[in-house]
Amino acid sequence: MMAVAAAQKNREMFAIKKSYSIENGYPSRRRSLVDDARFETLVVKQTKQTVLEEARNKANDDSLEECILQAQEHIPAEQNVELQDEQANLENLPLENEYVAVEEDVEFETAEPEQSQEPEGERQQPTKNDYGLTEDEILLANAASESPEAEAAMQSAALVVRLKEGISSLGRILKAIETFHGAVQHVESRQSRVEGVDHDVLIKLDMTRGNLLQLIRSLRQSGSFSSMNLMADNNLNVKAPWFPKHASELDNCNHLMTKYEPDLDMNHPGFADKVYRQRRKEIAEIAFAYKYGDPIPYIEYSDVEVKTWRSVFKTVQDLAPKHACAEYRSAFQMLQDEQIFVETRLPQLQEMSDFLRKNTGFSLRPAAGLLTARDFLASLAFRIFQSTQYVRHVNSPYHTPEPDSIHELLGHMPLLADPSFAQFSQEIGLASLGASDEEIEKLSTVYWFTVEFGLCKEHGQIKAYGAGLLSSYGELLHAISDKCEHRAFEPASTAVQPYQDQEYQPIYYVAESFEDAKDKFRRWVSTMSRPFEVRFNPHTERVEVLDSVDKLETLVHQMNTEILHLTNAISKLRRPF
């Protein structure tokens, strides 16, 4: 009972601390930890990724191996045989210690247990079940002990683990989670700022209460960790959502998804190419170091990368006049006239950013890889597009499983130079600010079927405006063929349509026009649950929350002034010459 009382006290103290930090805007980075950065959900793919991580780990973490052996004692014999087979296969794989990109700016809030104020002699000696557990873990243990059904109930939680021996231990942690039948929903890592700790890792997972407790006890026996804390799912909630209010705060919104990294995905074209992976590492570090206001770093592209660009550029140049929408064709021609689009070199992000700012007010900032949906959409609210700078592998010039500079340059940039399309992109970004995780998923799905793979009608013919189509000629030809289904764009139904991110889409949505799509999108956004509205002030590059009468009166005054100028312009144009 004393341990439970101490845990309750710790929980109250943590609630006070968390409330204080919320009022001071601290949870900014944590608010980006949404569930869209998921590991592949199929067991086969999870096993493949885990085997890969262990194959690349030279350091033999014997203590963590013992943790996995302990876990095997709690699973059926037939599954234990499968794990032994996996470990046998693992021993036959070549070992290689390679780079894994991590995030520099992620901060994790953890519930640090307070010291009990009871006199030393009166403290309850820890039992086998309570030893080393934090407040959340004690409450979890109590909940699991109520009945066998309670122990088997699924629990959503997050583990924050501090690794002393490098990111290579992550694969074995994931292996232990899989052994205890857990489902990993989200993983983020950063280089630790704590002396003696190499990396901090946040793992969000679903697991039965009993298995979660067993996992925690097993991992705590490893010497590879400086500390480990459990955060129950209800401790991840905040009373008010944080989102960036100024473009400079996008420095806190650069959390990467783990999908399709060449270091992790066996199917990635660059998986077996050490030179390519090292190149990706170098360019990723440049993006991680970038801060608001910095000039975009210049990338000296190699002859191989220029060759890859040339192949794709010439193909798009041939197909665009027939299959791309008029807005894309017009902007493409402008980029050629400005000598930004030429086949002999890749455009630099800085010159492309200058071109966009001059035409639509959009600008670019470098990204290290595939961002989470919340962070990527947030940048659009400020008319900022986060763009990668690395080039797809030369062995797969016409398809890439992830965004690369060729996809960004040839797919996205021409339409971001179109005022109507730029406005639509910004409205999607503004709608994402402060939205719930469920609504973020819907918004990202709408983005997928419009900005990435959208089709529109033009003089009775179907044309492409999606960047994923315009930078991948194979899917472009598939999208306009009779091998797929075309549906009318309706945001409410589009937002819940499952999509395919590894093969060609079976379904594409066709808009009557950009204006029609924008009108439908605005009506749909008005039904979202967010209890406030926001607007972007282009003069200050700041998002303003319209939550007071004073703010609304100021905005109405500004709008009245604009309407007066427009009315005067119409009157002058109507006067006889």
Side-chain angles (χ1 to χ4, degrees), residues 36-291:
D36 55 0
R38 297 185 179 95
F39 269 34
E40 296 168 286
T41 55
L42 295 178
V43 174
V44 173
K45 294 183 179 179
Q46 286 183 334
T47 303
K48 176 192 71 178
Q49 202 150 330
T50 304
V51 169
L52 168 62
E53 286 292 324
E54 295 202 19
R56 287 216 171 110
N57 177 26
K58 280 186 177 179
N60 290 321
D61 187 354
D62 295 333
S63 55
L64 193 50
E65 292 290 352
E66 292 176 3
C67 139
I68 295 177
L69 291 174
Q70 281 190 6
Q72 292 176 6
E73 297 175 0
H74 300 278
I75 61 177
E78 60 271 14
Q79 296 184 23
N80 200 356
V81 171
E82 293 178 5
L83 288 172
Q84 292 173 358
D85 291 342
E86 286 182 12
Q87 290 179 343
N89 294 333
L90 206 150
E91 293 173 358
N92 296 327
L93 290 174
L95 296 180
E96 186 179 340
N97 193 13
E98 290 293 341
Y99 166 85
V100 178
V102 300
E103 299 152 293
E104 297 290 345
D105 290 324
V106 183
E107 292 191 7
F108 307 129
E109 284 186 83
T110 59
E112 297 290 349
E114 301 285 339
Q115 295 296 324
S116 174
Q117 301 300 315
E118 301 170 27
E120 189 69 29
E122 298 180 12
R123 289 184 186 174
Q124 179 175 334
Q125 293 299 317
T127 64
K128 180 179 179 181
N129 289 336
D130 288 342
Y131 182 77
L133 297 183
T134 65
E135 55 195 277
D136 281 321
E137 292 160 16
I138 291 174
L139 293 172
L140 174 66
N142 290 339
S145 64
E146 292 178 358
S147 66
E149 292 77 15
E151 183 178 8
M154 294 299 296
Q155 175 73 39
S156 295
L159 295 176
V160 176
V161 187
R162 287 181 166 169
L163 309 180
K164 294 192 295 186
E165 300 179 4
I167 197 66
S168 55
S169 299
L170 175 59
R172 299 190 177 191
I173 298 174
L174 300 178
K175 180 68 175 180
I177 293 173
E178 180 186 354
T179 304
F180 281 107
H181 308 298
V184 176
Q185 301 297 339
H186 183 90
V187 174
E188 291 195 25
S189 60
R190 71 165 187 191
Q191 291 178 343
S192 181
R193 300 185 181 94
V194 178
E195 185 176 356
V197 179
D198 192 273
H199 281 81
D200 297 333
V201 177
L202 175 110
I203 306 173
K204 295 181 71 174
L205 51 83
D206 295 329
M207 184 181 288
T208 64
R209 291 169 176 167
N211 283 357
L212 182 56
L213 288 168
Q214 291 289 341
L215 173 70
I216 292 169
R217 291 174 184 135
S218 298
L219 291 180
R220 282 234 166 88
Q221 296 178 16
S222 171
S224 299
F225 311 136
S226 172
S227 65
M228 187 186 69
N229 291 91
L230 168 72
M231 294 190 293
D233 188 57
N234 57 1
N235 277 352
L236 294 176
N237 297 326
V238 294
K239 68 179 183 181
W242 181 94
F243 54 84
K245 305 292 197 310
H246 188 266
S248 61
E249 295 176 358
L250 293 177
D251 290 345
N252 298 331
C253 300
N254 59 0
H255 307 116
L256 299 184
M257 294 175 67
T258 55
K259 297 167 68 174
Y260 310 131
E261 286 294 315
D263 284 318
L264 300 174
D265 191 346
M266 290 182 182
N267 295 322
H268 193 285
F271 173 76
D273 189 337
K274 294 177 66 175
V275 174
Y276 179 78
R277 294 202 305 273
Q278 179 63 28
R279 174 68 164 165
R280 287 284 296 271
K281 171 187 174 181
E282 294 168 356
I283 295 179
E285 291 297 334
I286 291 173
F288 281 131
Y290 179 84
K291 298 299 180 185

Side-chain angles (χ1 to χ4, degrees), residues 289-310:
Y290 179 84
K291 298 299 180 185
Y292 170 79
D294 293 347
I296 300 177
Y298 183 93
I299 303 294
E300 188 70 42
Y301 289 105
S302 67
D303 292 340
V304 173
E305 290 167 332
V306 173
K307 176 185 176 183
T308 305
W309 158 264
R310 184 185 302 114

Side-chain angles (χ1 to χ4, degrees), residues 336-408:
Q336 287 183 300
D337 294 342
E338 297 263 353
Q339 293 296 299
I340 297 176
F341 273 0
V342 293
E343 65 177 70
T344 55
R345 68 177 181 88
L346 273 89
Q348 293 292 323
L349 286 194
Q350 186 61 62
E351 64 177 332
M352 182 63 75
S353 182
D354 294 340
F355 172 83
L356 292 177
R357 182 179 286 275
K358 180 175 64 176
N359 285 277
T360 61
F362 253 89
S363 60
L364 305 178
R365 65 173 289 154
L370 185 61
L371 296 172
T372 62
R374 185 180 291 278
D375 287 345
F376 177 77
L377 294 177
S379 67
L380 297 179
F382 300 88
R383 294 211 170 203
I384 293 176
F385 187 92
Q386 302 218 34
S387 173
T388 55
Q389 287 182 287
Y390 55 80
V391 178
R392 64 190 63 176
H393 196 269
V394 67
N395 290 343
S396 181
Y398 300 113
H399 174 73
T400 175
E402 59 185 337
D404 75 323
S405 60
I406 295 178
H407 167 78
E408 320 279 34

